Amino acid sequence: DDTLIIAGRKFNSRLMTGTGKYKTIPLMQQSVIASGCDIVTVAVRRVQSNAPGHEGLAEALDWKRIWMLPNTAGCTNAEEAIRVARLGREMAKLLGQEDNNFVKLEVIPDSKYLLPDPIGTLQAAEQLVKEGFAVLPYINADPLLCKRLEEVGCATVMPLGSPIGSGQGIKNLENIKIIIEQSNVPVVIDAGIGTPSEACLGMEIGADALLINSAIALAQNPVKMAKAMGLATQAGRMAYQAGRIPIKTHANASSPLTGVIK
Amino acid sequence: DDTLIIAGRKFNSRLMTGTGKYKTIPLMQQSVIASGCDIVTVAVRRVQSNAPGHEGLAEALDWKRIWMLPNTAGCTNAEEAIRVARLGREMAKLLGQEDNNFVKLEVIPDSKYLLPDPIGTLQAAEQLVKEGFAVLPYINADPLLCKRLEEVGCATVMPLGSPIGSGQGIKNLENIKIIIEQSNVPVVIDAGIGTPSEACLGMEIGADALLINSAIALAQNPVKMAKAMGLATQAGRMAYQAGRIPIKTHANASSPLTGVIK
Amino acid sequence: DDTLIIAGRKFNSRLMTGTGKYKTIPLMQQSVIASGCDIVTVAVRRVQSNAPGHEGLAEALDWKRIWMLPNTAGCTNAEEAIRVARLGREMAKLLGQEDNNFVKLEVIPDSKYLLPDPIGTLQAAEQLVKEGFAVLPYINADPLLCKRLEEVGCATVMPLGSPIGSGQGIKNLENIKIIIEQSNVPVVIDAGIGTPSEACLGMEIGADALLINSAIALAQNPVKMAKAMGLATQAGRMAYQAGRIPIKTHANASSPLTGVIK
Amino acid sequence: DDTLIIAGRKFNSRLMTGTGKYKTIPLMQQSVIASGCDIVTVAVRRVQSNAPGHEGLAEALDWKRIWMLPNTAGCTNAEEAIRVARLGREMAKLLGQEDNNFVKLEVIPDSKYLLPDPIGTLQAAEQLVKEGFAVLPYINADPLLCKRLEEVGCATVMPLGSPIGSGQGIKNLENIKIIIEQSNVPVVIDAGIGTPSEACLGMEIGADALLINSAIALAQNPVKMAKAMGLATQAGRMAYQAGRIPIKTHANASSPLTGVIK
């Protein structure tokens, strides 16, 4: 048994995905299924406004099987994010998830790199925790900020690997290792993962889960990439549990030479 | 259909494993099964001499299901390697694989890093091809040497990622990419892979297959690591086919901001 | 002319060093000279308390030539740091630098990785700027935090490459590149640099200056390493100005082949 | 005293440069001087044929100060390379270097990546050593091939960092470290270095010298980049001698906290 537990709720899959950027709704639906994920994040603002590509999104997924993670994408400060989080809770209720109090908190004033504001994120997190939310904050890979967020009651921390949608991989690897070592809540690597090998690496170093959207939605074959990401997440988790070999400077014969015949 | 074909023979799995370094024969047996591999390499000299840990090895695997890849580990020059390759062919016959002419060619004068001799390997390969072997040479990641080996008729090339058993990963990545681009025979990354993420990466760049032994056999839980390696190999292959997203300098919003409600 | 300007003051060298960790005072003195640095940081608490290795430090350097950068090492929160900054200003005055209002702000609650607290650092910075200090804050490589610190009036930002004294190099390279791109105040890479090649790299990507202590003081030959760091800092700056060649996938003949004789 | 000795001849600088790819002859002349190099490689075929950009090259450098290293660029097999090496010796004599028997041996059948042929290079090296040449072979970073070349009497080995002119840096770092560890002749890293930080790194790991052409000649400001490369080469050499600090997982306070005042 190797269940992921966030805010008391159990999940089988350690891969979370999103709904954005797909060419069509059916491709999104098939990719979500192929990935094997249990949690899908949804941009509250986009759904509320029926933005292009988001019409009918509410009905497109089976919310009896998939746990919704409303996110505050598009919010540039704490106030906006708090307001959108509340809208997200309403949205989840309307779609049948009465007890869903999750929110992926994004406070992003920067439109070029989409990096989060540590101060505004901490302020919003504090308020949302008080209002009973299970807060999953998207943040830079700053170990001390993670400690602060944990102290105010966040359900997870979600450090970024590299800028959203950049496909650069886990550039903040060393800081994320420290975060994992010090965290008492699940650590979810969010943003930047471009390939299954990077997903696998994230799990190998001990992350509790991953959130991957662009690398699936914008792959040439999203459904196949979704499946690959799902397998890689599992492989990385297993490897973390199985205990890798140490790295050696020298070689180590696979087929020892003692006792050879001449 | 995505079959690996070597010397005209089809294989479903793109992960090859070995029999060396396991603590017990049962652990080896279970790991081979968990990995899902179709090809297992065996050190001819060790089996012939009943070296410690190799007694009963011949009977330990189901050679009706697993294709044997005899290797010339322990040979320091071309002559020795040629002789041991012939012994390997006899061994395969005795174990019921009448038509098995495969040999993993290792010519390794260096005992510290276990790096192969390019000149001796080329000489032995030329001779063994003449004798009807399907030659899979273990070599440094040298694109020009690979061309030479292909020209003399080798069935694959097997460039090393990093020294055998070192777990350093694929240090020769750039050269291996060039080898893959230029090769007309399957490219098998052999040696150095320590984790599933590295296995996955090798497949993502377009390798046709991987050979992994130490990273499985010496993991704290070899059977679980074997399964992880099998999944990661599949994930990497799928990703190669699915087409990854380009790497961008800047961010790219997962949930576009146009049309947001305020 | 390529002068570094911090808080209106001009400096010729872009390498800053420290006084900690040297085996002897004379080694420190010679290393500071060999490095060619103009700015030396001093731990106020250690000097004030005459801690071992710090007796006579005040007299050991020529403060007519070297600009003192008092630091708040050992402070775990904003209040402590503010208090020690004030002590530092007094110390500089006593040593003859009447107009020295510089402080390297360190707020470090974490004793294992010595990573800074973003919240406490921002609070202390805001207060110290109000008191007329030129504040040089030591921080994690968080681009949004850098923007906040710039907005409250800091004289520089000092993102860390990797943990203090770890010699891991510039692990936060990508974030530091973004910080450099977006900053209106000098960016000084502080902590983690272990070798001249890493120092050089930091300058090549456009950092305005570097602060290096452990890698010099704890080298086997500190004086020679100090000189190497000074040269590498210059080389990196020149390369930044000279404009490097683009990185290409393929080769590009140094000696073109057209027109060759046969 | 830290002199580079090749084939019994002493050199002060550990940076070698070339004459190819410059926009003008004066830029080449100034860059060679700014780099501080003692050895300059010249493409024999280009000079002999008065190829564009090579007219008057023979007269452009002060061969009383600079040691000429004729190279066999443009040769695709051993025979051609041997012939051009002999022409190179004549060229050096005509220019006043009567005793110059040096040749940079390049056997490059591959026009895309300009990677050398290990077999042809070894053959040509063997012949040229017999004819009394001091042979400096350009090769892939293959430790066993290096041993072979040393055994036939080469004066150095010149492993490539990455493809010529690619500016990718030292991609073959791990193999080059092994080559340095095992070599009894000077190891010169040739090809691929794009920046001073990479030059510095090559020297830090213990290379005896570097050869850099494209990264200087094609920089936006070649003269300034030449100077930067010269400084970086010196810095790297000093750092190799000075002994770097070990890399640590954790932090190590620059200003120890014991004895702090409160």
Side-chain angles (χ1 to χ4, degrees), chain A residues 97-140:
Chain A
Q97 299 194 349
E98 283 292 329
D99 56 342
N100 189 336
N101 64 339
F102 279 42
V103 62
K104 176 165 183 260
L105 176 61
E106 302 185 17
V107 179
I108 302 182
D110 154 44
S111 63
K112 183 167 184 187
Y113 296 101
L114 295 174
L115 295 175
D117 174 28
I119 312 300
T121 304
L122 182 60
Q123 288 170 340
E126 204 159 4
Q127 176 61 30
L128 290 168
V129 167
K130 281 182 190 151
E131 297 185 16
F133 282 89
V135 180
L136 295 80
Y138 163 70
I139 46 165
N140 215 311

Side-chain angles (χ1 to χ4, degrees), chain C residues 211-222:
Chain C
L211 196 158
I212 302 173
N213 182 21
S214 302
I216 295 172
L218 296 175
Q220 287 169 41
N221 183 335

